[in-house]
Amino acid sequence: MTENKQWEPKIVAFCCNWCSYGGADTAGMGRFQQPASLRIIRVMCSGRIDPLHVFNAFLEGADAVLVTGCHLGDCHYVNGNYKTQVRYDFMEDMVKELGLEPERLHLSWISASEGEKFANFVREVTEQVRKLGPSPLKPEGVN
Amino acid sequence: MAQSEINDDTKNTDEPRIGVFICECGVNIGGVIDCHAVADYAGTLPDVIRSSVNKYTCSDSGQSEIKQAIKDNNLNRVLVAACTPKTHEPIFRACVEEAGLNPYLFEFVNIREHCSWIHMQEKEAATEKACELVRMGVSRASKLEPLQSNEVPVTNTALVIGAGVAGMQSALDIADMGYKVYLVEKNPSIGGKMAQLDKTFPTNDCSICILGPKMVEVARNKNIELMTYSEVEEVDGYVGNFKVKVRHKARYVDVNTCTGCGLCVEKCPVEVPNTEFNEGIGTRKAIYVPFPQAVPLRAVIDKSVCIDCGACSRACSSNSIIMEQEDTFSELDIGVIVVTAGFDVYDPEPTHDFGYGLYDNVITGMELERLINASGPTMGKVVRPSDVKPPKKVGFIQCVGSRDKKRNRYCSSFCCMYALKDAQLIREKYPDSEVYIMYMDMRTPFRNYEEFYDRARDMGIRFIRGKPGKVTENEDNGLKVRVEDTLTNDIIDLDLDLLVLSVGAVSSESTERIRQILKVSRAADGFLMEAHPKLKPVDTTLDGIFIGGVSQGPKDIPYSVSQGSACAARATRYLAQGKAITEGITVEVNPDICVACGICVPMCPFQALSIEDGKLNIIKALCKGCGTCAVACPTGALQQNHFRNDQLLAQVKNVFTFEE
Amino acid sequence: MVEVGDKVIGYSTDPGVRNKGASGGLVTAILAAALEKGLVEEVVVLKHINEYEAIPIITSDVEDVLASAGSMHTVPVNLAKYAIGKNVAMPGKPCDIRGVIEQAKRNEVNIDNTYLIGLNCGGTMYPVQTREMLINMYDIDPEDVTGENIEKGNLIFRTKSGEEKGISIDELEEAGYGRRLSCRYCDVKIPVNADLACGNWGVIGELTGNATFCEVMNEKGVRLLENAIDAGYVEIEPASDKAITIREKVNNVMLSMGEKWSEKVFTEIPDGERTQYYMEQFADCINCGACKEICPVCTCGEDSKCTMYHNLEDNYRMSMFHMVRLMHLSDSCIGCGQCTDVCPVDIPLTTIFRRFADKSQKKYNYKAGMTLERPPFLEVMPR
């Protein structure tokens, strides 16, 4: 971790075990190259993703947070991702009111077969965040 | 429900002592990431007692090393940084368990799919990221707690959904192993698509002649309870303990007394196109027997066209017509479920592919099967729909609806072979006919398939490598097909009497319906998704639910039959053991913090939560461990084991480093 | 017979009770009847301390009810938590009732046996500030005051000598006195979320000053009122069309005043500056937890999601405590102003919470504390 290194965004992604984590695996199996900005945290269901976790990620220094899960209708726990949708809408509004740029929080439904989609998503978000610069909530001295 | 707790080993969990194992996975990881640097870094992290690099951590020697290290260093947590937990977590959990550690004290970090394979050109960045991923994992590992799996009893019955050839095979195999099977089929007869076919490649033996006996065998098998004209409506529960509701659609015919004699059919005055079995060629009555070899050989009334004239009732000597019959329901207790719900033939009608639906003499391969079949509407005479005359020149277009980015990208795998077969049959029946097959690639793997292709060539069938650009109709309803032979670059204009579209398979509506009921995953192509494309080809991500036949993806008969048997073997493991281990990851409430506000209760789709006597009650056997209730909990009293807030937040925290 | 939707003018049949206050003693009589006839075990009333202060008490003694302070503009406490776990009747401002309803959603209050008598509210004032205002603006000795009233946008005080002096609320608030900030922009003036919505708006003609307008909001309201009528404690007559119109008019005037305040207080902070603004606001926090403790919506104990993951050592730019509370309150905040009141470092918490809540609740067409509808954040399916 050298001193003068160019700033690179750090993005925290919450992935559900069944779909989006599998999507990230499939992206790997397909060797879809991605920027090294992403840190995946696995949960069983996107419905487990608590605003608590998302906002903690921002407060810790995340430049963007991704909430990902199975496509609506494909949840392994009947309707977990519908609940995710409800909660995400709240988080999105909060992020907006807190004055963070909307590009810092994303929701995407990615199935285990959609490796290319996952990789493209990571590339796009990283590009967006690179343009924005570090998050205003990032504490000083945090990398 | 009777449950017994196992894995009650909870030793050494006070002070975390973590062992870190970095896998090189040959060059898969080691070729990109400096694994030794990662291991060195891991060694500096809190609670890490030892760290090392393995060539293949999952190999015998890798696993032995883990077990030895647990013993030598008195480890109480193990972290492996390797591939994906989706395939390897069970292996390592079992490994640490063998060394006396609770399996939930194992932490997996993915540095292959999520790192080395996606940063192949950025070795430094990949190594740095791997260090961070390991740091996140170590922080989580420190906070892991031992969990107890539950053992649940398994009801020793199986449900097979769909009685095509795959489902029949599966049902027969499970039944022959001595277990009760409920075989549910939505149509009035079992047999599936195979019953519609004329001959089967590569042997050209008669399809129904080999399928018919199997159908009878299914009907006769004492362990199989056949439920035809029935559909699965609801499925509740979990492995070993599914509650299944089946709707038995009203046939308006008493299946116990009907003899399938067909007198009623003769007297019925209502005639409609036979879309069910003959692809709309020819007709059937409002009351009909699906086909001569139907099992059960019983009549059924199509109420949507029946005029209630009573002619059938008067004709029936066994008084089997029950016009007031209503749908009935069965509730089944099921241990394991096999889904072989089949497929639909691609329909070129909406997009008028190659003039289908516009020109009478453009037909699908499935329509040809019925025309060429001796028991079909033309008694096996291949005729042009426009004038009912035998065609002199017949062309096949391959890959209709398949291998086409605008339709379906996948190869339907059986169309090359059935076109070869049908072309041969036409040449055999009408030796003076000309047959052309227009193809992109002929795909003929597996035993005797290539030989079958050779035979077709020997029989004078003409192959043109190219997909036609344009099909137009002549005055005499013949078809003008323009195609570029991409081997010679010649533009060829063919005048054909009959054009057959080799249509492929698409996932059926009924498969999708079942999929939604069972919550099985769907792949991008619409077919059901297996747990692993290579190693678990008939399992799903849901314990106790298996998939086979074309509902899992296009395949031919031998492959479907093999999958049917494979499903039976996989499913019967549970039945033979009589028990299943359910997930230890459930939610848990801290009663000291919970204020019984009840906010969580409606969050659970499995009814595992309730407020009783001012306290939150969790029924562990119903909890599937999704953790969505824990998010709703305002107090944080409700926590998902293994994904507790402190565990997840530790990971979040360790994404980042702080420098003064 | 009383029916849901009835709008009546009522008063106590007991002359002593009727003449004690300025509203005909209807609410006092209904409470007394509810207690005496066993509709409830206890009632919550304000115990008079002086003209500016009163404390809420829970009592089963009807004498306490008769001696209670009635409605006062200088008692800004929220009563919601007094209803927890009891079979009570409770008079309250719209925000008191909203708090009770939020508690009911969280299993703390059994709404079926909690009777809520809502009182029209134009806003409340801080007692100390009010005394100061009397001296500086009214030139009245606070100790001489015998009663107060809000009429036609004026705040009127009566003195021992029988004098009345009114100053327009706008003028008072311009001068930094008057109602609490959260009351100024509050958008619920008539407590339609209660079982009975009572107040003197719409009491006209001869009855002015000794009767109460009462709207029956639901079946529990029917029970409350019928119980009092059957007991012979209360008499009612249908409200005239004119009375109904006037009540509506007063309400609209109050609401439009509220809207103006809302526009004034919630001026949009530009996109690039909001993060900084919130960080600065919360920067003064001393982590005392008083805002959570006082919140009439919160049902958590001492340990809760907002406290459990809050650690000063984290050195975040904004604390997890406030972050989680912002989240939880964005759909559940009732705007009562309690958090601002108790904050020892004067963080304008209610205003901050409302910045989030106004947008959220408007988006979901949901107003916390008005019905038993589940908070939108806790819905299973998106709306």
Side-chain angles (χ1 to χ4, degrees), chain B residues 91-110:
Chain B
I91 296 166
F92 290 116
R93 277 191 183 164
C95 167
V96 300
E97 197 175 7
E98 279 172 35
L101 221 56
N102 182 289
Y104 293 93
L105 296 173
F106 168 77
E107 174 64 13
F108 209 125
V109 172
N110 186 338

Side-chain angles (χ1 to χ4, degrees), chain C residues 16 25 90-91 147 159 230 252 259 263 267 289 321 331 371 378:
Chain C
M90 189 180 104
T159 58
D230 293 348
N252 287 337
E259 262 169 53
E263 281 165 25
T267 46
F321 175 75
D331 65 344
T371 65
L378 300 168

Side-chain angles (χ1 to χ4, degrees), chain B residues 461-486:
Chain B
I461 292 157
R462 310 265 298 273
F463 290 86
I464 301 170
R465 187 175 185 275
K467 200 159 185 176
K470 203 173 175 192
V471 175
T472 50
E473 197 177 30
N474 297 335
E475 310 80 64
D476 66 339
N477 299 112
L479 301 152
K480 203 179 228 359
V481 178
R482 169 164 285 198
V483 57
E484 183 191 351
D485 187 330
T486 56

Side-chain angles (χ1 to χ4, degrees), chain B residues 133-384:
Chain B
L133 293 174
V134 168
R135 183 175 71 218
M136 289 162 68
V138 165
S139 70
R140 181 178 150 79
S142 305
K143 293 184 182 295
L144 290 177
E145 288 172 358
L147 297 175
Q148 321 304 331
S149 299
N150 286 321
E151 207 176 273
V152 294
V154 169
T155 310
N156 63 349
T157 56
L159 170 71
V160 178
I161 304 170
V165 68
M168 284 160 50
Q169 185 65 45
S170 208
L172 283 168
D173 287 353
I174 299 171
D176 287 347
M177 285 186 260
Y179 302 99
K180 169 100 182 172
V181 182
Y182 296 92
L183 179 56
V184 176
E185 168 57 49
K186 71 176 194 303
N187 292 316
S189 170
I190 61 172
K193 290 278 189 295
M194 186 178 168
Q196 284 179 274
L197 305 180
D198 179 43
K199 301 287 191 293
T200 52
F201 58 80
T203 47
N204 279 359
D205 40 7
C206 156
S207 185
I208 196 70
C209 312
I210 54 174
L211 185 69
K214 216 173 187 71
M215 289 162 67
V216 174
E217 204 185 326
V218 167
R220 281 209 185 130
N221 195 304
K222 290 205 167 51
N223 278 337
I224 298 178
E225 188 166 332
L226 196 52
M227 296 178 165
T228 53
Y229 213 41
S230 300
E231 289 189 55
V232 172
E233 293 268 305
E234 287 168 28
V235 176
D236 257 344
Y238 48 92
V239 58
N241 300 274
F242 294 108
K243 299 258 179 243
V244 179
K245 187 174 171 188
V246 180
R247 174 195 290 272
H248 308 292
K249 293 177 280 189
R251 270 177 186 263
Y252 309 101
V253 169
D254 185 340
V255 278
N256 298 318
T257 56
C258 171
T259 59
C261 69
L263 277 176
C264 53
V265 179
E266 267 173 41
K267 297 291 180 196
C268 177
V270 181
E271 218 165 307
V272 292
N274 186 346
T275 49
E276 289 86 358
F277 195 68
N278 282 337
E279 299 293 306
I281 307 167
T283 58
R284 65 154 170 82
K285 298 292 187 62
I287 187 165
Y288 64 102
V289 177
F291 51 95
Q293 301 84 353
V295 171
L297 190 66
R298 300 287 182 267
V300 56
I301 295 177
D302 176 358
K303 268 281 185 172
S304 68
V305 296
C306 171
I307 55 169
D308 285 318
C309 66
C312 50
S313 199
R314 289 189 292 278
C316 181
S317 54
S318 60
N319 290 324
S320 299
I321 310 292
I322 314 169
M323 291 307 253
E324 59 281 1
Q325 202 177 54
E326 282 178 4
D327 291 2
T328 56
F329 295 90
S330 302
E331 306 265 350
L332 309 175
D333 287 319
I334 297 293
V336 289
I337 298 176
V338 174
V339 185
T340 47
F343 68 106
D344 284 342
V345 171
Y346 171 75
D347 182 7
E349 165 94 51
T351 42
H352 298 306
D353 298 357
F354 303 105
Y356 183 88
L358 300 175
Y359 314 137
D360 288 347
N361 294 331
V362 181
I363 63 171
T364 67
M366 200 59 171
E367 286 164 358
L368 179 64
E369 289 291 339
R370 296 312 301 150
L371 284 175
I372 211 164
N373 191 305
S375 66
T378 56
M379 304 301 177
K381 254 174 79 178
V382 177
V383 294
R384 305 196 328 160

Side-chain angles (χ1 to χ4, degrees), chain A residues 30-42:
Chain A
R31 311 294 195 278
F32 293 111
Q33 301 301 296
Q34 301 160 38
S37 53
L38 197 72
R39 302 292 178 268
I40 290 176
I41 293 174
R42 181 168 68 126

Side-chain angles (χ1 to χ4, degrees), chain B residues 439-450:
Chain B
Y439 68 99
M440 295 198 289
D441 302 284
M442 289 306 285
R443 296 187 167 177
T444 57
F446 306 124
R447 176 172 294 157
N448 290 334
Y449 286 17
E450 184 67 14

Side-chain angles (χ1 to χ4, degrees), chain B residues 63-97:
Chain B
Q63 293 194 44
S64 311
E65 194 183 323
I66 293 176
K67 288 180 212 165
Q68 195 58 45
I70 292 173
K71 246 177 242 159
D72 294 348
N73 301 292
N74 200 21
L75 300 177
N76 57 19
R77 304 284 194 289
V78 169
L79 182 145
V80 171
C83 49
T84 171
K86 304 260 293 180
T87 55
H88 280 58
E89 192 171 54
I91 296 166
F92 290 116
R93 277 191 183 164
C95 167
V96 300
E97 197 175 7

